Amino acid sequence: MKIGAQLYTVREHTQTTPDFTATIQKIADIGYKYVQISGIGPIPAKEAADICAAHDIKIVITHTPPNRVKDETLTVIEEHNIMGAKYIGIGAMPGEYPRNKDGVERFIADFAPAIERIHHAGMVFMYHNHAFEFEKYGCKRMIEFLTEGWPKAGFTLDTYWVQYAGGAPDAWLKQLKNRVPVIHLKDMAYVQDKHRMCEVGKGNLDWPAIFASCDEAGVEYAMVEQDDCYGADPFECLRTSLMNLEGVI
């Protein structure tokens, strides 16, 4: 399993080409060789690819605006070809879809043609979960509707949000075996009666169990992500997570 950095962690430092370039240099200096493009500014795919290549960084996956994936599928595929990224991801179900059974079924139907085109292009559409996907509509969770409705899609399982929703990340990795080529590594601390995101290894997630399940599930890339660093330097958070992972994975 290869370790990468989810650039959403440092999104405030990727909004212009000079900032993106400096950020990729810092990511490389920390020791990361792989990244997920997410939350960056309006930087063309070729430019982003060239900057990453110049620092020996491989782009693996993106979070692309959902409506672009749905409505501009062929353009999005070409951009990912330029970046050398096999995985075309979205960060969540768009807010236009109600969080109920009817809304989820409409979401599945609307994105099915794009997922088919992406599959035929030799790529994989990836859905990233938060906690709301584990709500039950009748006898099935939303994530179960998604996995059944999109048999050719992959899932970027987020360890923090699975745990937040009351699930066990290792169990869900096993349940989604061979459908999680990319995972988000994000730890959960409990501070003053609140859940907080934190660096991998500094929280309470059962990482030995998670990593064992990653091997069993066929996870290829593990992207370190921390949406909120609570005022700490996000680059240092990424550095700490990578240091804690060395020798473990």
Side-chain angles (χ1 to χ4, degrees):
M1 188 164 60
K2 304 175 180 71
I3 305 300
Q6 217 296 42
L7 294 184
Y8 189 74
T9 308
V10 291
R11 59 195 176 276
E12 294 179 1
H13 306 274
T14 62
Q15 297 308 301
T16 66
T17 297
D19 283 351
F20 182 81
T21 303
T23 289
I24 293 300
Q25 177 70 67
K26 289 181 180 179
I27 294 294
D29 290 344
I30 290 170
Y32 288 99
K33 296 290 187 181
Y34 307 93
V35 295
Q36 175 171 356
I37 297 289
S38 177
I40 72 170
I43 300 168
K46 179 66 164 61
E47 194 168 5
D50 288 347
I51 292 167
C52 287
H55 294 88
D56 196 26
I57 294 282
K58 176 178 172 53
I59 301 170
V60 171
I61 181 173
T62 67
H63 273 171
T64 298
N67 285 340
R68 288 203 66 224
V69 175
K70 177 170 66 75
D71 300 328
E72 304 171 31
T73 313
L74 295 180
T75 300
V76 169
I77 288 169
E78 179 55 30
E79 289 170 353
H80 283 69
N81 274 324
I82 290 169
M83 291 186 289
K86 178 181 178 181
Y87 301 110
I88 300 175
I90 67 171
M93 182 174 73
E96 67 199 70
Y97 297 96
R99 292 183 182 178
N100 56 38
K101 184 174 180 289
D102 290 342
V104 171
E105 288 178 339
R106 182 158 58 88
F107 175 47
I108 290 169
D110 285 354
F111 277 76
I115 293 171
E116 191 67 27
R117 292 189 191 101
I118 289 167
H119 174 74
H120 281 301
M123 297 179 177
V124 182
F125 170 86
M126 299 287 292
Y127 182 84
H128 167 267
N129 69 278
H130 290 81
F132 67 85
E133 290 87 356
F134 293 87
E135 182 176 350
K136 282 187 176 180
Y137 304 137
C139 61
K140 276 197 298 192
R141 299 171 182 83
M142 175 182 165
I143 194 166
E144 293 169 313
F145 281 100
L146 297 178
T147 56
E148 293 169 12
W150 294 331
K152 295 175 181 175
F155 292 84
T156 309
L157 203 70
D158 187 300
T159 55
Y160 176 93
W161 288 117
V162 174
Q163 189 80 30
Y164 189 95
D170 58 309
W172 276 98
L173 280 162
K174 292 173 184 175
Q175 185 163 333
L176 296 174
K177 185 176 180 178
N178 298 324
R179 299 194 66 180
V180 188
V182 183
I183 189 173
H184 279 179
L185 301 184
K186 186 187 304 176
D187 212 338
M188 176 187 285
Y190 194 66
V191 181
Q192 296 180 348
D193 293 330
K194 293 182 180 179
H195 296 107
R196 286 174 61 121
M197 299 173 185
C198 65
E199 298 91 330
V200 176
K202 294 185 72 174
N204 295 312
L205 293 192
D206 186 350
W207 292 110
I210 291 170
F211 295 147
S213 293
C214 283
D215 291 339
E216 183 179 337
V219 176
E220 186 179 1
Y221 295 98
M223 296 290 165
V224 175
E225 180 183 37
Q226 194 169 332
D227 308 21
D228 193 337
C229 295
Y230 306 97
D233 183 337
F235 293 100
E236 289 306 309
C237 291
L238 288 175
R239 185 190 306 278
T240 298
S241 288
L242 186 60
M243 289 174 57
N244 291 345
L245 286 166
E246 287 177 354
V248 176
I249 294 182

